[in-house]
Structure formats: C-alpha cells, structure tokens
C-alpha cells in the first residue's frame, strides 16, 4: 500500500501527546476512510428515510442504498444469494443468532458442540449457554503450543455426536489462520455444521464462503473500514429458511393476527424493526473501498508488515511473543518481562503509539497461556514499516524506563 492510501484516513494525520499518531489497534476497530465518512454524511443529508415502507423518493433511495449494500457484502464474501446476508449489529449478534435459533432447534441433550479454547468470548459464551440450555456437551479442540489448530486435532474432537463446530477463521490474539475449509469438510462428514467467526478474517484476506463451505459466517463492519454498529451474518439459504427468528416486531412479519403471526421471507424475518440503514450504507462504501484496493493486495501488505514486525520485535531482549513466528495477518501479541501490559500500553501512548492491552476478550486463552493479560499490536492497510519502527523505538524506551525504575 502506498502513501496515498494512508492519506485517505483523516484521523491518522493528528498528533497524540505531542507525537504523530501511530495507530496499531485495528484488531479492536479499524479507522475509516473518507469515502465511508462521505457516504454516511450523504445518506443523512440527502437520503435519510426508512426502508421497505414509503413509496416517496427518499424512501426509494434509502431502500436502494440499503439493499445495494447487501448485494455488495454478498459478493465480497462469495455468497450465492444476497438473501443469505442478514444485517445486524456485528459478529457477536450473528453468532448469538445461530446459537439461539439454529442451536435451540437442532441441539439436544447428549449432543456435542465443538470449539477451541482460543476463541473470542463472542464465539464461546453463546455455545456455553446453548450447551447449558440443551444439556449438550461442550468440547474443545486442543491447540498446538503456538496456538495453531490442526485438522488432526479437530478430528479427535469431532464425532458423530457433534452437531455444531464453531471456530474463528483468524485468532484475534495469536494471529493464526485456522484451516476452516478442512474443518468444514470434517464437520460435514459427521453430520455437523461449521460456524465461522469472521471478524478478524474478513478485513484482511479474500474470503469465499462457498469455497470454504462453511454453514454460517459472521462479520463486523467496524473492523473492515466500516462504521460501528453494523455487521452481517451469512448463512446457507437452506439452513436460514428452516430457522425461526429470535427478535419479533415490525418489518419481519408477513401476516399478523391476534393470536398467530407469520414471517417474511429471507432475509427480512431476521431483521425486525428499523434496520441499521446508515450503517449498511457505510459498510457498502467500505466494501467498495476494499474491493478497489484488492484483498489480495491487502493480505500481501499485512503479511509483509507482520513479518517485518516479528523481525524487529525479536531484536528486543526480554520480550515474549505469543503465537507462531510465521504471521499471515497483522497481529503480534507480546509481553515485556516484569512490566504489566497496561503499563506498556500507557508508556507507548505517551509516544503516540496506540496498542491494545488486556485479555482481549479471551480469558480462557490467557489462562492457557498462563498469563493474566498481554499487549497486542495490530496492523492494517494504512500502516507501514515506519509505524513498526516507532513501535520498536517506544518499546525500547519503555524497557529502559522500567529498568531504570527498578
């Protein structure tokens, strides 16, 4: 990515604590390019109206923009039909929808739900709760010491009792890409479905849900240059058509009587109430932006940055990196000896470098790593080698500061 890409993100031109901002927290949320900010402003200035209702011009414009965004998302992730895309608030909502609707209808006492111990809480707690509700068994695929998941380990956990396998395509802490296509085939061999948490994969690589043959795939717009509060759930049409909605009200109904009601066809039965119209418009603009850049180019840029970051970080003595040395996506998680991650992040912020510190919504993973928390630097298409050099310089200063303090 060249400098012209970076220039499209206005927030990056500011100073923080007297230093040019280096934003390395894109795994938490990405920054927004001007085209997305402009799309949001244009919608509210010229097209603001509810969708699927009024026949006036503004209503038609808003509906066209909303449904156009659905078609863009469907094409972006390789869905066969636009109606397989359910708009919602984000990946968390999508995963909960699958657990509450498909899960409640298809999981029975004694069945198994298979996940991994390195999942984000959003892809762990819904399955915990489903297992409790239904009397099912929650099983875990054992990771390798570096956090990678193998098909062989998955094969040991998935049995004919398994009804759902849920896994992130990319770990938000370890930065590893899991073999979801092979795990999908394994799940289907045993009559189970595969649910993919795509929050960390969709922004960073080419995704084709038909090629993966996953049954459900959840994504969040705010991690892929879109607004907050908008995301989407992909589901195979045949599965979605058999599922019951979990939220009820206006817009998702077909006929309403005093004692019985029926639901609209896909995707509207799962989008009750006034939808997130402006968010969808912004997400559509983000998809256009990423499509124009080319996701293969985005992935190559991140891989190059991640490997450069690993080489530079390994130069610092007393710094422990979690996950494999080979990185395909721009996530590097680490701890500095004898310095709490929150202290590391605080000192880095004083130099204008923004990273994440904490358990990253992965407390079971932290226990598996035998730490309470970690520091995480995450890169995206607007970062460059100079940002990483700034990170390394700030880490060296942090180490020196706490070394002097002791």
């Amino acid at each position: 990515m060249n400098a012209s890409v970076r220039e499209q993100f206005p927030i990056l031109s500011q100073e923080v604590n007297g230093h040019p901002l280096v934003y390395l927290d894109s795994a938490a949320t990405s920054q927004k390019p001007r085209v997305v900010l402009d799309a949001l402003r244009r919608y509210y200035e010229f097209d603001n109206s509810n969708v699927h209702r009024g026949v006036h011009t503004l209503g038609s414009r808003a509906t066209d923009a909303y449904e156009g965004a659905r078609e863009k998302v469907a094409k972006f992730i390789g869905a066969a039909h636009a109606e397989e895309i359910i708009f919602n608030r984000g990946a968390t909502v999508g995963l909960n929808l699958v657990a509450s609707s498909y899960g409640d209808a298809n999981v029975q006492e004694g069945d198994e739900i298979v996940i991994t111990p390195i999942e984000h809480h959003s892809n762990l707690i819904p399955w915990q709760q489903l297992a409790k509700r239904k009397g099912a068994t929650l099983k875990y695929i054992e990771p390798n010491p570096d956090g990678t998941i193998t098909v062989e380990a998955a094969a040991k956990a998935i049995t004919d009792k398994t009804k759902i396998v849920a896994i992130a395509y990319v770990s938000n802490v370890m930065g590893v890409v899991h073999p979801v296509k092979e795990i999908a085939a394994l799940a289907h061999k045993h009559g189970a479905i595969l649910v993919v948490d795509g929050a960390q994969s969709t922004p960073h690589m080419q995704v084709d849900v038909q090629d993966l043959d996953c049954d459900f795939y959840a994504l969040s717009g705010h991690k892929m240059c879109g607004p907050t509060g908008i995301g989407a759930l992909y589901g195979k049409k045949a599965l979605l058509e058999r599922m019951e909605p979990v939220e009820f009200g206006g817009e998702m109904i077909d006929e309403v009587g005093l004692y019985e009601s029926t639901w609209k066809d896909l995707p509207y039965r799962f989008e009750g109430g006034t939808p997130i119209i402006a968010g969808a418009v912004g997400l559509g603009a983000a998809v256009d932006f990423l499509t124009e850049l080319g996701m293969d180019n985005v992935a190559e840029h991140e891989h190059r940055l991640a490997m450069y970051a690993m080489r530079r970080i390994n130069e610092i003595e007393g710094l422990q990196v979690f996950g494999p040395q080979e990185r395909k996506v721009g996530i590097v998680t680490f701890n500095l000896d004898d310095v709490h991650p929150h202290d590391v992040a605080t000192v880095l912020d004083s130099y204008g470098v923004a990273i994440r510190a904490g358990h990253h919504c992965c407390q079971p993973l932290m226990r598996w790593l035998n730490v309470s928390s970690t520091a995480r630097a995450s890169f995206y298409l607007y970062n460059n080698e100079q940002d990483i050099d700034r990170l390394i310089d700030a880490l060296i200063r942090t180490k020196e500061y706490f070394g002097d303090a002791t």
Side-chain angles (χ1 to χ4, degrees), residues 110-248:
D111 289 341
E112 297 173 350
I113 303 166
V114 174
I115 61 175
T116 82
I118 64 177
E119 300 301 316
H120 189 282
H121 295 161
S122 295
N123 199 35
L124 190 159
I125 298 172
W127 312 116
Q128 280 185 348
Q129 298 305 306
L130 174 61
K132 287 182 178 180
R133 290 196 303 271
K134 307 299 287 190
T137 299
L138 193 61
K139 294 177 63 178
Y140 288 88
I141 302 171
E142 182 63 29
N144 287 330
D146 64 358
T148 54
I149 298 292
T150 65
V151 178
E152 291 75 18
K156 293 179 181 179
I158 299 170
T159 72
D160 288 341
K161 292 183 179 181
T162 305
K163 290 296 183 289
I164 296 173
V165 181
I167 187 170
Y169 199 171
V170 173
S171 165
N172 71 307
V173 174
M174 308 297 277
V176 295
V177 181
H178 298 313
V180 296
K181 182 176 180 177
E182 292 79 6
I183 293 175
L186 183 61
H188 295 155
K189 178 181 177 181
H190 288 278
I193 66 161
L194 180 71
V195 183
V196 177
D197 175 359
Q200 296 293 344
S201 51
T202 317
H204 306 292
M205 63 182 67
Q206 187 70 53
V207 172
D208 187 332
V209 292
Q210 291 187 79
D211 180 63
L212 295 176
D213 199 23
C214 57
D215 299 282
F216 296 97
Y217 184 99
L219 63 90
S220 289
H222 73 97
K223 296 181 188 292
M224 50 185 287
C225 298
T228 55
I230 182 68
L233 172 71
Y234 158 81
K236 289 181 177 177
K237 187 175 180 180
L239 295 177
L240 290 172
E241 287 178 334
R242 297 198 299 268
M243 288 166 51
E244 288 291 306
V246 296
E247 293 183 332
F248 305 92

Side-chain angles (χ1 to χ4, degrees), residues 8-166:
Q8 296 182 58
F9 293 82
I11 198 170
L12 299 178
S13 63
Q14 66 180 296
E15 288 192 351
V16 171
N17 294 319
H19 299 272
L21 171 64
V22 174
Y23 185 77
L24 301 179
D25 196 20
S26 293
T29 194
S30 68
Q31 299 302 341
K32 322 305 175 191
R34 283 191 178 88
V35 290
V36 171
L37 303 175
D38 291 344
L40 291 168
R41 188 183 67 251
R42 281 196 306 271
Y43 168 76
Y44 279 123
E45 286 184 351
F46 299 107
D47 301 330
N48 183 44
S49 180
N50 219 319
V51 296
H52 307 137
R53 301 178 188 185
V55 297
H56 53 73
T57 298
L58 295 188
S60 297
R61 286 182 193 166
T63 298
D64 289 346
Y66 182 74
E67 292 303 328
R70 192 191 309 277
E71 293 175 0
K72 291 175 182 179
V73 172
K75 183 178 180 181
F76 189 69
I77 65 171
H81 310 282
E83 57 264 37
E84 293 178 320
I85 302 299
I86 312 299
F87 280 136
N88 51 37
R89 290 190 291 107
T92 298
V93 176
L95 295 167
N96 275 275
L97 171 60
V98 178
S100 297
S101 181
Y102 181 91
D104 278 350
N106 292 278
V107 175
Q108 307 299 326
E109 185 175 356
D111 289 341
E112 297 173 350
I113 303 166
V114 174
I115 61 175
T116 82
I118 64 177
E119 300 301 316
H120 189 282
H121 295 161
S122 295
N123 199 35
L124 190 159
I125 298 172
W127 312 116
Q128 280 185 348
Q129 298 305 306
L130 174 61
K132 287 182 178 180
R133 290 196 303 271
K134 307 299 287 190
T137 299
L138 193 61
K139 294 177 63 178
Y140 288 88
I141 302 171
E142 182 63 29
N144 287 330
D146 64 358
T148 54
I149 298 292
T150 65
V151 178
E152 291 75 18
K156 293 179 181 179
I158 299 170
T159 72
D160 288 341
K161 292 183 179 181
T162 305
K163 290 296 183 289
I164 296 173
V165 181

Side-chain angles (χ1 to χ4, degrees), residues 291-322:
T291 300
E292 184 175 351
L293 289 178
M295 291 309 298
D296 288 340
N297 294 328
V298 172
E300 191 278 331
H301 175 75
E302 276 197 42
H303 176 64
R304 185 177 71 252
L305 283 183
M307 295 310 297
Y308 180 72
M310 291 296 289
R311 289 196 300 272
R312 293 299 321 273
I313 280 179
N314 285 330
E315 297 172 3
I316 303 176
E317 293 184 7
L319 192 147
Q320 179 184 10
V321 177
F322 301 96

